[in-house]
Amino acid sequence: MSNDLAALKQEILADIANAKDAAALEAVRVKVLGKSGKITELMKTLGTLAPDARKERGAALNVLKTEIAEKLEAKQKELATAGLQARIEEIITICAAMGFTVAKGPDIESDYNNFTALNIPPDHPARQMQDTFYLPQTGEHPTILRTHTSPVQIRTMLSTKPPIRVIAPGRTFRYENDMTHAPMFHQFEALVIDEETHMGHLKGCAMDILRAFFGIKDLPVRFRPSYFPFTEPSAEIDIGCSRKGGELKIGNYGDWLEIGGSGMVHANVLRNCKIDPEKYQGFAFGWGIERIAMLKYGIPDVRNFFEADLRWLKHYGFLPLDIPNPALKG
């Protein structure tokens, strides 16, 4: 390769490496390979050369064009992967900035951790709403696939002394299957336990997370009195929306959409976890991850997440990769 092409190659590679997003990378591509791009213009000059020189120069330009095209494609994939990482773990990143750490637990849980410790005894009607998959019993309590990530809260409170500030994202399982429900889905829950936290902290925290996730600074968020066995008082969380013309839009449009549940951790739950409710209190809230992804990206059917259709995955920028997040380390 001649000196001028070698210098051009280094210049282009530097521009590709410095591209911070897809738009910047596209600008580099147009600058190099577009109709008036540098390599394109050099290709146009081949007709002015002698046959031998034209053959040698043309081969060198084709090699350069191929190398640059490969580098552009590799950089495009790199940027897409970085964007995917930010989207997949967006909630974790938002919460990490607020001082939360990630807590994990097993998908296969004891009936006690999933229900009883959460103030849902065997005869409680709330169990019917979370009918789930039962497995052969191996210990003192029946074994199930967890119906929510709340057992992670139980495990955390049993193993950690307050103050506690964790989020529990993970898979959950329920016997459901339609366009808005799936037998396996992902849930996110937050838990704070200390001596001073109150309902006002719950509201502020949930509002900040929802507004950051949807990217709407003035997103209306309201809390309606409700009932959950594991919190008291309890509240449903609604966000602002519009349903005009049959199209759902998130924002300050005057209508409301339920997004998840919340409340102050019930005293019985604290007692079951050996935490003195006379000294400590806290809040918990959570919602389905697929649900908020559907709302944010306009995805109509939750079943699409689990059909392994590469065309759909590429369209929405979701790839089947497990990319680590710095918030998970340590």
Side-chain angles (χ1 to χ4, degrees):
M1 185 178 292
S2 61
N3 291 337
D4 66 322
L5 293 187
L8 177 60
K9 176 181 177 180
Q10 293 305 312
E11 176 189 337
I12 297 171
L13 292 180
D15 289 343
I16 293 174
N18 292 329
K20 302 300 183 183
D21 52 38
L25 187 64
E26 176 62 12
V28 174
R29 188 197 67 78
V30 172
K31 177 182 175 182
V32 177
L33 301 177
K35 291 183 178 180
S36 300
K38 291 184 177 181
I39 293 180
T40 305
E41 291 297 318
L42 288 174
M43 296 289 284
K44 294 177 182 179
T45 66
L46 292 176
T48 65
L49 302 177
D52 289 343
R54 184 189 312 140
K55 182 178 180 180
E56 181 181 351
R57 182 75 167 178
L61 282 171
N62 281 326
V63 169
L64 177 60
K65 184 177 180 180
T66 300
E67 289 182 0
I68 295 306
E70 290 175 350
K71 293 294 183 182
L72 285 167
E73 183 179 1
K75 183 66 175 183
Q76 184 180 30
K77 291 180 179 179
E78 177 186 329
L79 292 172
T81 299
L84 171 67
Q85 178 176 352
R87 273 198 260 179
I88 284 180
E89 302 193 349
E90 190 172 0
I91 296 175
I92 293 176
T93 302
I94 292 170
C95 294
M98 300 174 68
F100 285 89
T101 58
V102 175
K104 295 183 177 182
D107 293 347
I108 299 175
E109 261 292 1
S110 70
D111 174 274
Y112 180 83
N113 283 348
N114 193 83
F115 290 123
T116 307
L118 287 160
N119 202 35
I120 310 175
D123 57 350
H124 200 288
R127 290 199 178 206
Q128 297 178 8
M129 296 184 292
Q130 296 190 18
D131 194 16
T132 188
F133 301 96
Y134 291 83
L135 304 175
Q137 185 168 337
T138 58
E140 179 183 355
H141 303 283
T143 303
I144 64 172
L145 294 179
R146 66 184 182 185
T147 64
H148 43 193
T149 56
S150 298
V152 178
Q153 297 184 24
I154 297 299
R155 289 173 174 270
T156 300
M157 287 188 282
L158 285 170
S159 62
T160 307
K161 293 182 179 181
I164 296 171
R165 194 178 187 89
V166 298
I167 57 172
R171 289 181 296 184
T172 58
F173 306 84
R174 297 183 191 178
Y175 189 60
E176 301 173 320
N177 186 28
D178 57 51
M179 67 183 297
T180 59
H181 299 87
M184 190 278 285
F185 58 98
H186 294 79
Q187 197 175 57
F188 150 82
E189 295 186 17
L191 173 70
V192 173
I193 301 292
D194 58 31
E195 297 184 36
E196 300 177 350
T197 292
H198 52 68
M199 194 75 178
H201 295 128
L202 183 164
K203 294 174 67 176
C205 186
M207 289 170 65
D208 285 348
I209 293 173
L210 288 168
R211 287 172 175 171
F213 178 78
F214 286 104
I216 304 174
K217 292 183 179 180
D218 63 344
L219 177 66
V221 181
R222 74 177 182 183
F223 296 79
R224 290 181 291 108
S226 186
Y227 168 77
F228 302 107
F230 32 81
T231 54
E232 179 60 38
S234 303
E236 296 279 4
I237 304 176
D238 299 336
I239 58 175
C241 74
S242 168
R243 295 183 175 86
K244 292 183 179 179
E247 181 180 2
L248 181 65
K249 293 183 179 179
I250 304 301
N252 190 6
Y253 298 111
D255 204 349
W256 296 98
L257 176 69
E258 182 269 325
I259 199 74
S262 68
M264 300 300 292
V265 179
H266 199 291
N268 288 345
V269 176
L270 294 176
R271 292 189 187 96
N272 290 337
C273 295
K274 314 303 180 186
I275 295 176
D276 183 1
E278 298 297 324
K279 182 178 181 181
Y280 296 104
Q281 61 186 22
F283 64 75
F285 61 81
W287 41 75
I289 294 177
E290 283 88 357
R291 176 172 167 75
I292 60 174
M294 291 171 69
L295 294 174
K296 182 170 182 176
Y297 300 112
I299 301 171
D301 194 325
V302 70
R303 293 171 293 193
N304 294 146
F305 284 96
F306 309 105
E307 291 175 344
D309 187 330
L310 289 177
R311 297 167 301 173
W312 186 90
L313 293 170
K314 290 177 180 178
H315 174 74
Y316 284 104
F318 304 135
L319 298 177
L321 300 175
D322 183 16
I323 304 172
N325 185 293
L328 296 173
K329 295 181 179 179

